[in-house]
Amino acid sequence: MRRRYLTNDAFKPLPEPTGDMDVQQLENMSAMSDMMKGNVSAMIPNMLSMAWVSYFFSGFVLVKLPFPLTDAFKPMLQRGIALSALDCSYVSSLRGILSTFLACVAFFCCARP
């Protein structure tokens, strides 16, 4: 059963694209503007929540990662924290929210209408 799936179904050749369909999609400006509106409507809540977290929780340590990191990750993970002796495995609130947003991209895509 597995061999039949891999030889017949999984690796069958893709159909040849037609040139007419690509031109029609590029000429449909309303569809392109609808896509752009959908992307902007998804970006605005993210930008507002990042600004809110940055304003109210600037300088807070959110979480300690359970694995060690090198010093190269310190500027990326500890933005807004002015402690030079803090271990690199501590993450600031702004970077924690950013990491959470990046981890939940599939959820945000499914939640949009």
Side-chain angles (χ1 to χ4, degrees):
M1 182 172 177
R2 180 189 232 179
R3 181 179 293 167
R4 183 177 52 218
Y5 170 74
L6 290 175
T7 56
N8 295 337
D9 298 334
F11 296 110
K12 63 182 175 183
L14 297 173
E16 293 293 323
T18 59
D20 298 335
M21 185 59 106
D22 296 334
V23 173
Q24 289 175 356
Q25 288 177 349
L26 289 176
E27 290 177 354
N28 190 357
M29 295 300 281
S30 65
M32 284 198 284
S33 66
D34 289 341
M35 284 191 296
M36 188 175 70
K37 288 176 190 174
N39 288 337
V40 169
S41 67
M43 282 177 21
I44 291 188
N46 289 342
M47 289 176 14
L48 291 176
S49 61
M50 294 278 281
W52 184 80
V53 167
S54 178
Y55 181 76
F56 286 109
F57 299 106
S58 179
F60 283 84
V61 174
L62 183 66
V63 69
K64 182 183 186 309
L65 298 175
F67 47 87
L69 292 171
T70 62
D71 287 336
F73 290 98
K74 193 168 192 161
M76 181 175 63
L77 294 176
Q78 295 179 356
R79 182 163 183 163
I81 299 175
L83 294 173
S84 60
L86 189 62
D87 187 25
C88 295
S89 59
Y90 289 96
V91 179
S92 69
S93 60
L94 183 61
R95 294 305 170 184
I97 294 296
L98 179 66
S99 302
T100 305
F101 280 152
L102 293 177
C104 294
V105 167
F107 174 73
F108 287 136
C109 290
C110 293
R112 282 193 314 202

